[in-house]
Amino acid sequence: MTVKAVKMPCTAPNVYTKVPDGGWGWTIAFAFFFVEALTYGIIKSFGVFFNDLMESFDETNSRISWIISICVFVQTFTAPLSTVLSNRFGHHFVVMAGGVLISTGMVTASFASTVVDMYVTIGVISGLGYCLSFLPTVTILSQYFDKRRSLVTAVASTGECFAVFSFAPAITALKEQIGWRYSLLSVGVLQLSIVICGSLLRPIIIKEQEEVKAQPPEEPTETKYMLENEQTRTSIESIDSGVEITTSPSNVPGNTKAEPKSEEPKEHVQILVENNSTPPEPKTKLLDFSVMRDYSFICYAFFGLFATLGFFAPSLYIIPLSLSLGISKDHSAYILSAMAIAEVFGRISAGWVLNKKPIRKIYIELICVVLLSVALFAFPFASEFWGLMTCSIFFGFMLGTVAGTHIPLLAEDDVVGIAKMSSAAGVYVFIQSFAGLAGPPLAGVLVDTTQNYSSAFYSCAAGMVLGAVFLSLVRPCKAGLCHRQQQCAEESAAEVAPDPPDDFIEMDIGKAENSGKGCDGVA
């Protein structure tokens, strides 16, 4: 079946007869690249403002770091709200509103007088905007692709990595010219372009092409039920009652494939979506909590909860660890840059591998998570620059394989499937929010207690190992659920009433023949 797109107004959904694996999806992938750059790219580059904020507000590093912690928590905690709003008002309107909130928070933060003002403006307002912008974009991108979903999503998500390369040095140079406040104001104005990206997100409707085929004219099917020497239709008319008894298939009890005769030959009929009519959108729940009854999704959600402990902390503590080993600041910055470069290749490589058929994607993800745990355990054993550089490159590559694919994998049948992707993504990211908020402070407490930055990497590695354990249970839980559903279906089929006996029609025909003979005798 070929993909058939229906032309609609610019605000109406795109209607296809199957997942297009392209089409307008390429435009959405382009938009997602920039949304990723202007959301997570800015969050990861925000560290260039830390020293300026500490000096301006006379605050400690820990209090300034809470700006990003609150922002990440609000972004993930409000994920179900993003899902509800997307299902109610559409993805493009929600993303556009998110872009306005992000820009408003950043612009307002440039006029902040205390760090608490930054908590509210960047932490809460921009954090909510990040959620409304990122999650609907990655959700609708997954709906436009099937075979290429993993590869396209992974490549488009590299916008975050490229943003770290470009924004960090650009903002640093801009600060030297106009100061940190006007630089933050410029960033907020730039993030307003998310509104343009949101306007490109057209929803998609997959409407199967229905075909109603009529059988070509054949020999009268009544001959299957009558004797060869009998007429194809026996009618008995009674003058008194005016009752007609017939053994044509239309009057024979039971389901048969016979069809009434037609003077004109019947042709194949196709029912297609008309170009000039807007098909009604299917009714969807604002937030489908039935995914919480799916054991495979519960295991996958716990995987995301514990794995998130290892997503953010390493990038925060890699430079302090390198400085504690006597590595200069310049060389420490190179280590962080190498980690970001390796993450780009990791995302693209994971998308390329997961795009291969046939392949069980959940197992590939499990292998990547195990290797990511190994990378985290390796950091404490590095004692000089090249050892730390090697660990950072390995960690960045493996982080890219997991970070770029763990949300799109919700659309796979091993987890919840594409039909429940939107609700599952909202609940999944909501559960992640608790680890996103607790991860960096937990690592900081361990560092303060042990006076050793290696403790932060051990806590991250422990969380990743727990995540790998729950990820390994996803496929068995899904297979067990499918097996139970199959057993229930077989039991239901066994309880259905038995079909009528094969001689049911023959007995009925015999009665009609005897009645016909009786009437002939009377005549």
Side-chain angles (χ1 to χ4, degrees), residues 254-457:
N255 295 328
T256 64
K257 297 181 179 179
E259 295 182 358
K261 296 181 181 180
S262 176
E263 296 179 359
E264 298 181 359
K266 296 182 180 179
E267 299 177 353
H268 297 289
V269 181
Q270 286 188 340
I271 303 176
L272 298 177
V273 181
E274 297 295 338
N275 290 347
N276 57 356
S277 62
T278 303
E281 297 188 23
K283 294 182 179 179
T284 57
K285 297 180 180 179
L286 296 181
L287 187 61
D288 188 2
F289 283 104
S290 64
V291 296
M292 297 299 294
R293 297 195 297 267
D294 192 336
Y295 294 138
S296 61
F297 173 75
I298 293 175
C299 291
Y300 197 83
F302 275 109
F303 150 69
L305 175 67
F306 290 107
T308 304
L309 294 174
F311 283 169
F312 296 101
S315 61
L316 295 177
Y317 289 99
I318 184 63
I319 291 181
L321 176 62
S322 62
L323 294 176
S324 66
L325 295 176
I327 301 174
S328 64
K329 292 183 179 180
D330 293 337
H331 286 79
S332 299
Y334 293 152
I335 294 175
L336 187 60
S337 298
M339 183 187 296
I341 294 173
E343 185 177 346
V344 174
F345 288 99
R347 288 173 183 263
I348 297 176
S349 300
W352 180 78
V353 172
L354 294 178
N355 197 51
K356 296 297 182 180
K357 296 286 186 178
I359 192 171
R360 185 67 68 181
K361 298 180 181 180
I362 201 73
Y363 292 149
I364 300 299
E365 185 82 355
L366 178 60
I367 294 173
C368 294
V369 172
V370 172
L371 293 177
L372 184 58
S373 304
V374 174
L376 288 169
F377 276 118
F379 273 104
F381 296 97
S383 59
E384 43 85 28
F385 173 75
W386 287 109
L388 204 57
M389 175 67 79
T390 303
C391 293
S392 297
I393 293 175
F394 183 46
F395 170 79
F397 183 86
M398 300 314 305
L399 177 64
T401 61
V402 177
T405 57
H406 68 109
I407 293 181
L409 275 182
L410 289 168
E412 299 299 323
D413 293 333
D414 282 339
V415 188
V416 295
I418 190 63
K420 297 182 178 181
M421 166 70 176
S422 180
S423 296
V427 177
Y428 175 76
V429 176
F430 168 78
I431 294 175
Q432 275 188 300
S433 65
F434 298 100
L437 181 66
L442 175 62
V445 169
L446 293 175
V447 170
D448 293 337
T449 303
T450 62
Q451 297 298 314
N452 187 354
Y453 286 103
S454 299
S455 303
F457 293 88

